Amino acid sequence: MSELQGRAIALLLERFPVADELGRLFAGAGFELHLVGGSVRDALLGRLGEDLDFTTDARPEDILRLVKPWGQGTWETGIDFGTVGVLKGGLRLEITTFRSDVYDGETRNPTVSFGDSLDGDLLRRDFAVNAMAVSLPGHEFTDPFGGLAQLARRELDTPGLPEDSFRDDPLRMLRAARFTSQLGFAVTPWVRAAMVARADDITRITVERIATELSKLLLGATPRAGLVLLTDTGLAGHVLPELPALMLEKDEHHQHKDVYQHSLTVLDQAIALEQDGPDLTLRLAALLHDIGKPATRRFEAGGGVSFHHHEVVGAKMVRRRMRELKFPKQLIEDVATLTFLHLRFHGYGSGVWTDAAVRRYATDAGPLLDRLNKLVRADCTTRNQRRRQTLQRSYDDLEHRIAELSAAEDLAKVRPDLDGNAIMELLGVGPGPVVGKAWKFLKELRLERGPLPREEAEVELYKWARDEGLVP
């Protein structure tokens, strides 16, 4: 390890003196303690984080005995797998007994077996860059599988044979794609080959864990690289089959944009528009906005290709896939709504949008308006610079009109000019479906004509009620 890298580790331990304090506690009881995994890796990459993971030769009951009087709280949810959590100085620390697990190759759950050596524990880690350790409080660096060299080459390799590693825990294949996105690393050719060979094993993993890894991948610095790895190795076919399905077969007589590459480019461009950090909702919508195209592709006379109503089909597909992955309900609805609305902008540049159309665009998007604006901007992937500039001017103009109408009418809070109580009083009806229909009519009127004086709104309500046969 170079002097610079040694200094990085020293900075980590200076920032978190609790690590050495914990090391002295264990050493005083006759046990080893090592800082391990992502904590060491990120320190060497100059990415000091808040997560501190430790490994020790102490058994779980000994760990608990030591840390209970020392920490400010403990948790034992992982104790069956040798992990004890402890809260100290606002930090959540996890301490795990050396492991030398045995897997049956059928499930992801190992037969837990505690080990007696640090090297044996590091061997069972997912990648060599996560199999480096620093002893505490002695600060001796251990790297039995060349993780430091791989860190310098920015590559991912497994401590042992990748086929065995992925058979033991198929989730590691998704972690490879996630680290490709988060760290900008590339897998070695033999790791890639093992991912292809064992891609089917990912079906042993619960959908909740798959969704977690996909989310972390998408929130990384370069999600495109991770998604391409998933697709090229066949893993995407199991965890997100709509993605490789975008690689539509070309027809020599009917040419259209490569939907797969287009979607990845839209994702890149949406990320470039983010202002407050990674936005999972926007990134999912950018990636999935065109997943309805394969099902709606039609070859037209003269060599054209159409994808009519792909936004409608796509929104349904988004809901189905995200529900299967058990994403949160609000996230599902937001991504589906953005998918459904992403074509609404097209046609604006012709200059025929009335104020009513602008109001509808803004109110239909609701709290997703800012994300929708980003999505439609990102959806422009044409190489024709003149067309690109024209579209950008149209986006700017629409956002300007929305801002003007919002300032005048508070579009974020568009409501009918008469509330439910006024409707019941004027029509002489009680609560029920009539009130709902009247409210919907007045809402449409409000969108079409903007705010109305109360007297005018009442006149319009009476006209509607007469036409509906509700009043004489």
Side-chain angles (χ1 to χ4, degrees):
M1 184 166 58
S2 70
E3 181 179 347
L4 184 62
Q5 291 161 335
R7 181 58 185 157
I9 294 293
L11 282 173
L12 173 67
L13 297 171
E14 286 174 14
R15 178 175 173 180
F16 300 113
V18 68
D20 274 336
E21 183 182 338
L22 187 61
R24 288 190 290 271
L25 178 68
F26 274 68
F31 297 114
E32 298 178 36
L33 186 73
H34 305 267
L35 189 65
V36 73
S39 307
V40 177
R41 178 201 69 217
D42 286 347
L44 293 170
L45 288 172
R47 297 159 38 107
L48 293 182
E50 297 290 332
D51 295 331
L52 296 181
D53 294 323
F54 304 86
T55 188
T56 178
D57 58 345
R59 294 303 191 253
E61 59 273 15
D62 295 317
I63 299 174
L64 268 176
R65 176 175 54 81
L66 288 170
V67 300
K68 270 193 172 180
W70 174 79
Q72 295 152 337
T74 60
W75 61 96
E76 305 174 30
T77 51
I79 197 165
D80 289 343
F81 296 95
T83 300
V84 174
V86 58
L87 183 68
K88 181 72 171 183
L91 294 173
R92 293 171 64 89
L93 316 176
E94 289 199 342
I95 309 159
T96 303
T97 301
F98 292 159
R99 296 261 294 272
S100 57
D101 302 334
V102 176
Y103 292 80
D104 60 13
E106 298 296 328
T107 67
R108 183 178 176 269
N109 296 325
T111 300
V112 177
S113 176
F114 297 134
D116 297 308
S117 72
L118 175 62
D119 283 3
D121 179 83
L122 297 178
L123 176 62
R124 54 167 289 277
R125 306 250 162 193
D126 54 3
F127 299 103
V129 294
N130 295 329
M132 299 178 286
V134 177
S135 67
L136 300 169
H139 300 182
E140 294 179 5
F141 183 66
T142 301
D143 178 23
F145 306 107
L148 190 59
Q150 292 172 33
L151 209 64
R153 295 193 298 268
R154 305 188 74 78
E155 71 179 20
L156 287 173
D157 198 358
T158 52
L161 292 174
E163 293 86 352
D164 293 342
S165 180
F166 299 153
R167 176 185 59 81
D168 287 348
D169 186 355
L171 189 67
R172 290 169 177 168
M173 294 185 285
L174 289 189
R175 287 170 63 85
R178 190 239 293 183
F179 288 133
T180 298
S181 169
Q182 289 181 328
L183 304 176
F185 286 14
V187 298
T188 61
W190 43 94
V191 166
R192 178 185 291 267
M195 292 172 70
V196 172
R198 304 215 67 97
D200 291 354
D201 288 350
I202 200 64
T203 57
R204 289 160 42 198
I205 303 302
T206 64
V207 292
E208 292 89 348
R209 287 182 172 272
I210 289 172
T212 296
E213 288 298 325
L214 285 176
S215 296
K216 290 178 179 179
L217 185 160
L218 282 168
L219 291 172
T222 56
R224 183 185 190 128
L227 292 166
V228 168
L229 180 61
L230 288 183
T231 302
D232 290 351
T233 56
L235 282 159
H238 294 290
V239 301
L240 194 63
E242 293 79 7
L243 182 59
L246 294 175
M247 293 191 284
L248 298 175
E249 182 179 352
K250 295 293 183 180
D251 183 283
E252 60 179 328
H253 302 297
H254 297 82
Q255 297 299 315
H256 59 79
K257 188 178 297 183
D258 184 324
V259 185
Y260 172 71
Q261 291 296 334
H262 165 75
S263 298
L264 294 176
T265 300
V266 173
L267 174 60
D268 288 339
Q269 294 184 166
I271 291 170
L273 295 172
E274 291 175 339
Q275 297 171 320
D276 300 311
D279 182 342
L280 183 60
T281 302
L282 177 63
R283 294 186 181 199
L284 279 165
L287 180 65
L288 302 177
H289 74 288
D290 274 347
I291 64 171
K293 280 191 170 181
T296 58
R297 182 171 67 162
R298 298 291 182 270
F299 295 129
E300 307 291 350
V305 178
S306 68
F307 303 96
H308 295 310
H309 305 301
H310 76 269
E311 75 283 10
V312 178
V313 174
K316 293 178 180 177
M317 292 174 66
V318 163
R319 286 191 177 91
R320 183 168 60 248
R321 173 56 53 198
M322 293 184 67
R323 283 170 182 161
E324 287 182 3
L325 289 170
K326 299 187 179 180
F327 277 106
K329 290 182 180 179
Q330 189 60 57
L331 179 62
I332 294 172
E333 285 307 306
D334 287 349
V335 176
T337 299
L338 289 170
T339 300
F340 178 72
L341 294 176
H342 83 274
L343 286 184
R344 191 71 68 83
F345 168 82
H346 292 277
Y348 177 79
S350 63
V352 298
W353 275 30
T354 62
D355 282 353
V358 175
R359 288 189 196 99
R360 290 180 189 280
Y361 178 87
T363 54
D364 285 352
L368 296 172
L369 179 60
D370 182 61
R371 289 186 174 110
L372 180 59
N373 289 338
K374 288 183 173 68
L375 177 60
V376 296
R377 283 184 181 273
D379 198 20
C380 173
T381 60
T382 178
R383 295 180 181 178
N384 184 315
Q385 289 302 311
R386 179 175 294 180
R387 174 167 169 73
R388 175 179 284 273
Q389 290 171 3
T390 299
L391 283 169
Q392 293 299 329
R393 285 194 296 270
S394 295
Y395 299 145
D396 292 341
D397 184 62
L398 176 57
E399 290 189 20
H400 178 69
R401 288 183 66 186
I402 291 172
E404 285 187 330
L405 285 171
S406 293
E409 304 177 17
D410 194 4
L411 292 183
K413 298 179 181 178
V414 168
R415 294 289 187 275
D417 295 293
L418 302 174
D419 63 17
N421 289 329
I423 291 170
M424 288 188 287
E425 180 180 349
L426 290 166
L427 297 184
V429 298
V434 169
V435 179
K437 290 179 181 179
W439 193 94
K440 184 177 180 180
F441 163 75
L442 290 169
K443 172 72 177 292
E444 291 297 314
L445 187 69
R446 171 74 167 75
L447 289 171
E448 187 66 32
R449 291 166 52 180
L452 298 177
R454 182 180 178 89
E455 295 78 7
E456 189 173 345
E458 290 178 358
V459 169
E460 294 295 339
L461 176 63
Y462 278 126
K463 286 181 181 178
W464 172 83
R466 280 197 299 272
D467 291 342
E468 294 290 315
L470 300 174
V471 296

